[in-house]
Amino acid sequence: KESLSKTRKNFVEKIDSIVTGRKVIDEELYEELEEALIQADVGIDASLELVENLRAEVKSRRISNPEDLYTVLKELIQDILGVASTDININSAQPAVIMVVGVNGVGKTTTIGKLAHYFKANGKSVLLSAADTFRAAAIDQLEIWGNRVGVAVIKHSEGSDPAAVAFDSMHAAQARKIDVLIVDTAGRLHTKSNLMEELKKVHRVIGREMPDAPHEVLLVLDATTGQNAISQARLFKEAVGVTGIALTKLDGTAKGGVVIAIKQGLDIPIKMIGVGEGIDDLRPFDAREFVDALFA
Ligand code: GDP
């Protein structure tokens, strides 16, 4: 809850201050609300939709007190986000294979480390696959996390074929009867098309070793990048069919409204949120909890 304090300031408190002390619900008020939503990274489309729905509610419920808009907006945001939470499904297969994708710097390695810890804490055996072979540092970082969490890492040398690492990891996971295999992948953005081809190949190889795998393609997005996160998501979705999002760095950003933009603009559920740099700072995303914390 603390982790959303900046978003709350930039977003909900602003909405509160817009409606407080107002006498009438007029055009100017709607415009100010729309502006506040857009500035909080809710996204243009979602902001317009919200304000449009707000108008409809005001009309149908005959609301005349501007201060009531606060509660109505909370309800409308909850409507967009829904109340169901979608877990990462790791129980339907052994190993459950999670392919993790995302641009460098978004917190991919950290999220993999936290995820490994999360599953391990839930009694699952975990194996990591260092299929970002593009940078030696990526392999090293993953090993550091592996040591910290106490799980093994399958790796080749820098510059080797990522698909070959994924292939070996699949076999190791099957031989060792691992519950969850988490596959790290490259995230260099400057050679976009090559990266997407590489990810497709890794995806293909995993699927060839085990039908239905990968069971999850988890895209890591950085909340502090706001609307950029949306365009990254479209790119990865098209290449490898993203099944879930891990949204990092929600702590310390005022751009938490991006959660609404993601939900409205992409047909991909947010499954986990990162709320700090520590090993325990990864949580399943719960839409109701999120809205309650925001409007607390
Ligand atoms: P990668 O290049 O995508 O693998 O990024 P890293 O995992 O190395 O993370 C980049 C930076 O973001 C590191 O300093 C992490 O500690 C930090 N980071 C990752 N997740 C979070 C988060 O949820 N909150 C905060 N505050 N920092 C995070």
Side-chain angles (χ1 to χ4, degrees), residues 103-110 114 135 248-249 251 274-277 281:
V103 170
N104 285 340
V106 294
K108 188 154 37 102
T109 317
T110 307
K114 291 170 175 174
R135 300 172 305 161
T248 64
K249 309 185 198 181
D251 56 304
V275 293
E277 298 186 278
D281 295 328

Side-chain angles (χ1 to χ4, degrees), residues 114-165:
K114 291 170 175 174
L115 261 185
H117 173 69
Y118 175 80
F119 292 135
K120 226 189 143 199
N122 285 293
K124 303 289 179 185
S125 57
V126 181
L127 184 67
L128 301 181
S129 173
D132 178 1
T133 61
F134 193 71
R135 300 172 305 161
I139 304 172
D140 294 345
Q141 281 302 314
L142 199 67
E143 279 209 295
I144 290 170
W145 272 105
N147 288 334
R148 191 175 298 165
V149 177
V151 304
V153 179
I154 303 295
K155 59 165 189 172
H156 291 185
S157 55
E158 183 189 357
S160 59
D161 181 4
V165 181

Side-chain angles (χ1 to χ4, degrees), residues 24-290:
V24 289
I25 298 176
D26 55 12
E27 204 44 44
E28 196 187 319
L29 179 58
Y30 284 123
E31 268 166 36
E32 280 179 45
L33 288 173
E34 192 177 297
E35 176 83 24
L37 290 167
I38 292 171
Q39 287 201 347
D41 268 273
V42 171
I44 306 242
D45 291 344
S47 299
L48 294 178
E49 185 183 319
L50 275 170
V51 172
E52 202 171 295
N53 293 345
L54 198 58
R55 285 176 200 272
E57 289 298 311
V58 165
K59 212 169 160 195
S60 74
R61 285 152 73 171
R62 306 209 169 120
I63 294 166
S64 59
N65 182 359
E67 291 182 17
D68 291 342
L69 294 186
Y70 182 86
T71 315
V72 178
L73 199 57
K74 177 182 175 183
E75 289 167 19
L76 291 173
I77 288 172
Q78 188 74 73
D79 284 349
I80 287 187
L81 292 180
V83 288
S85 48
T86 324
D87 288 339
I88 294 181
N89 181 9
I90 53 157
N91 294 318
S92 61
Q94 196 189 35
V97 184
I98 305 172
M99 178 175 169
V100 184
V101 300
V103 170
N104 285 340
V106 294
K108 188 154 37 102
T109 317
T110 307
T111 300
I112 290 171
K114 291 170 175 174
L115 261 185
H117 173 69
Y118 175 80
F119 292 135
K120 226 189 143 199
N122 285 293
K124 303 289 179 185
S125 57
V126 181
L127 184 67
L128 301 181
S129 173
D132 178 1
T133 61
F134 193 71
R135 300 172 305 161
I139 304 172
D140 294 345
Q141 281 302 314
L142 199 67
E143 279 209 295
I144 290 170
W145 272 105
N147 288 334
R148 191 175 298 165
V149 177
V151 304
V153 179
I154 303 295
K155 59 165 189 172
H156 291 185
S157 55
E158 183 189 357
S160 59
D161 181 4
V165 181
F167 178 89
D168 280 356
S169 305
M170 290 295 295
H171 283 260
Q174 283 164 338
R176 298 179 198 182
K177 304 213 184 319
I178 292 289
D179 296 319
V180 188
L181 171 65
I182 308 177
V183 182
D184 187 20
T185 61
R188 56 186 190 279
L189 201 57
H190 53 280
T191 48
K192 240 179 265 177
S193 60
N194 287 343
L195 173 63
M196 293 308 160
E197 286 314 309
E198 175 178 319
L199 296 179
K200 283 182 197 169
K201 189 175 167 197
V202 169
H203 193 282
R204 234 171 15 242
V205 165
I206 292 172
R208 206 184 292 142
E209 294 313 303
M210 187 180 183
D212 299 331
H215 306 89
E216 186 89 57
V217 179
L218 192 67
L219 171 65
V220 183
L221 295 176
D222 177 343
T224 66
T225 64
Q227 298 306 300
N228 272 339
I230 309 283
S231 41
Q232 285 172 21
R234 296 220 163 89
L235 209 68
F236 283 96
K237 186 183 176 182
E238 199 177 274
V240 283
V242 176
T243 61
I245 288 169
L247 188 64
T248 64
K249 309 185 198 181
L250 262 178
D251 56 304
T253 183
K255 297 175 190 277
V258 75
V259 166
I260 300 161
I262 287 172
K263 177 68 190 183
Q264 197 263 1
L266 304 161
D267 193 21
I268 311 171
I270 297 175
K271 298 199 169 171
M272 305 295 289
I273 53 173
V275 293
E277 298 186 278
I279 197 165
D280 285 311
D281 295 328
L282 186 76
R283 318 260 147 87
F285 176 68
D286 181 315
R288 198 194 294 268
E289 213 174 85
F290 178 81

